Amino acid sequence: MKNAKLAHKSNPQHQTIVKLTDTVAIGGKELIVIGGPCTVESREQMEIIANTLQPSIQALRGGVYKPRTSPYAFQGMGEAGLEILTAVRSRYNLPVVTEVMAISQIEAIATHADMLQVGSRNMQNFDLLKELGQAGKPILLKRGLAATIEEFVMAGEYILSHGNPDVVLCERGIRSFDNYTRNVLDLGAVAALKQITHLPVIVDPSHAVGRRELVAPVARAAIACGADGLIIECHPVPEKSVSDAQQALSLEEMVALVASIKPIAVAVGRCVPEKTIEKTGVDVKSTPIYLPVAS
Ligand code: PEP
Ligand code: MN
């Protein structure tokens, strides 16, 4: 991949660490687990997730601009959703990741989020990638639905070459002939990307398999093969998720999954960060749960 001048790994120790905050980074010895719903639905939903998962995850996800297959499906809360992310982010001291779909959304999202996600459907939206070179925030670039590894790396190269050194790659499964799973998780690509590039590589097992019962084993395999972290969809009432309900984990399943990757992380020379009050500034146990107003 000779053209990947900036993404290219010059020696085996060459590894970029992308900082989301002073205490949360991707690409070092500590793994990152990003959890949250497919779509931000309400303040209550995000409060319950952040409150329950604060001890287990390092960052929160949630889409407010959603790339839906049908134009009639819920398209996301937009700016109101960004306000919710900001409120929950500061209350629980959890950095947030959310998707940017258009150049016109960059400024608003960059003021609210700690990392901007480029979804699979936009991986080769070159104008968007160029503009994200100047976003001033880390970018989570998801692999296109049918993108080759080279196309994926070169999409990252667009962002790097336009001035943003903080790019994280995300393998989220690619299209194949079998529709039992939603996509096919390409763990070979994870290993290859770690060898070819110095960028952090995380895995999204949720969109890869599309079935909640398969998310945990695949997530564990991703950590075993060298991923720098995971981004996983979860919901307080998974079957009620407004989007991607079939792949959402319950919050209890999410906690169990994070616990289960700890020994695997250690076996491959990594670790799952231990959350302490000193480190996060949040006394998780004494943080009151935001109670939804009864309707
Ligand atoms: C998502 O993360 O909610 C999403 C839409 O992912 P992808 O772009 O990988 O389909
Ligand atoms: Mn989703």
Side-chain angles (χ1 to χ4, degrees):
M1 225 163 280
K2 290 198 195 73
N3 287 331
K5 294 183 192 150
L6 300 172
H8 164 254
K9 196 179 190 102
S10 54
N11 66 68
Q13 276 70 49
H14 186 192
Q15 174 63 50
T16 285
I17 297 183
V18 172
K19 282 184 83 171
L20 300 194
T21 65
D22 288 344
T23 54
V24 178
I26 314 180
K29 185 175 177 186
E30 293 190 335
L31 299 176
I32 186 161
V33 180
I34 306 168
C38 182
T39 302
V40 173
E41 298 167 18
S42 67
R43 172 86 185 255
E44 290 79 2
Q45 172 215 33
M46 294 308 292
E47 287 271 354
I48 292 166
I49 294 172
N51 186 275
T52 310
L53 297 184
Q54 210 280 342
S56 303
I57 64 176
Q58 287 69 50
L60 204 53
R61 63 150 287 149
V64 302
Y65 295 103
K66 295 300 303 177
R68 305 302 301 280
T69 301
S70 164
Y72 309 115
F74 182 57
Q75 304 284 307
M77 291 184 76
E79 296 248 357
L82 289 179
E83 300 292 342
I84 292 173
L85 288 175
T86 293
V88 173
R89 167 184 186 254
S90 59
R91 182 162 187 189
Y92 296 93
N93 200 9
L94 278 171
V96 303
V97 183
T98 195
E99 178 162 351
V100 58
M101 287 172 56
I103 292 174
S104 58
Q105 297 162 355
I106 295 177
E107 203 181 321
I109 297 179
T111 60
H112 288 84
D114 301 279
M115 179 156 69
L116 279 59
Q117 173 176 321
V118 176
S120 294
R121 291 153 193 82
N122 269 316
M123 188 205 82
Q124 285 189 318
N125 181 339
F126 298 120
D127 283 347
L128 179 64
L129 301 179
K130 287 180 194 170
E131 207 64 31
L132 289 170
Q134 297 297 312
K137 286 283 164 83
I139 308 299
L140 178 62
L141 178 66
K142 298 187 89 174
R143 184 177 183 184
L145 306 173
T148 65
I149 293 173
E150 181 158 6
E151 287 164 344
F152 189 19
V153 172
M154 294 313 289
E157 190 80 12
Y158 261 91
I159 304 168
L160 297 170
S161 64
H162 282 78
N164 191 342
D166 294 323
V167 176
V168 176
L169 302 174
C170 178
E171 162 60 34
R172 46 77 75 202
I174 46 174
R175 287 258 166 102
S176 188
F177 56 87
D178 189 344
N179 60 7
Y180 182 80
T181 55
R182 186 174 179 180
N183 290 291
V184 175
L185 181 64
D186 186 358
L187 286 180
V190 175
L193 291 165
K194 291 291 297 178
Q195 288 180 14
I196 301 165
T197 84
H198 56 86
L199 302 173
V201 180
I202 70 168
V203 166
D204 173 348
S206 307
H207 291 87
V209 295
R211 305 170 73 115
R212 71 172 58 86
E213 71 276 15
L214 299 179
V215 169
V218 162
R220 288 191 283 268
I223 297 306
C225 100
D228 294 299
L230 300 164
I231 180 165
I232 301 175
E233 288 186 348
C234 55
H235 194 282
V237 191
E239 57 283 6
K240 293 257 170 75
S241 304
V242 304
S243 55
D244 288 350
Q246 327 81 280
Q247 68 196 35
L249 297 186
S250 69
L251 304 187
E252 296 71 28
E253 287 167 336
M254 202 48 201
V255 171
L257 166 49
V258 173
S260 79
I261 64 173
K262 288 185 181 177
I264 299 167
V266 172
V268 293
R270 311 296 287 271
C271 65
V272 177
E274 290 300 332
K275 292 281 203 87
T276 59
I277 302 168
E278 296 71 42
K279 218 171 161 185
T280 64
V282 177
D283 184 351
V284 180
K285 293 198 182 61
S286 73
T287 305
I289 293 187
Y290 182 90
L291 290 173
V293 181
S295 54

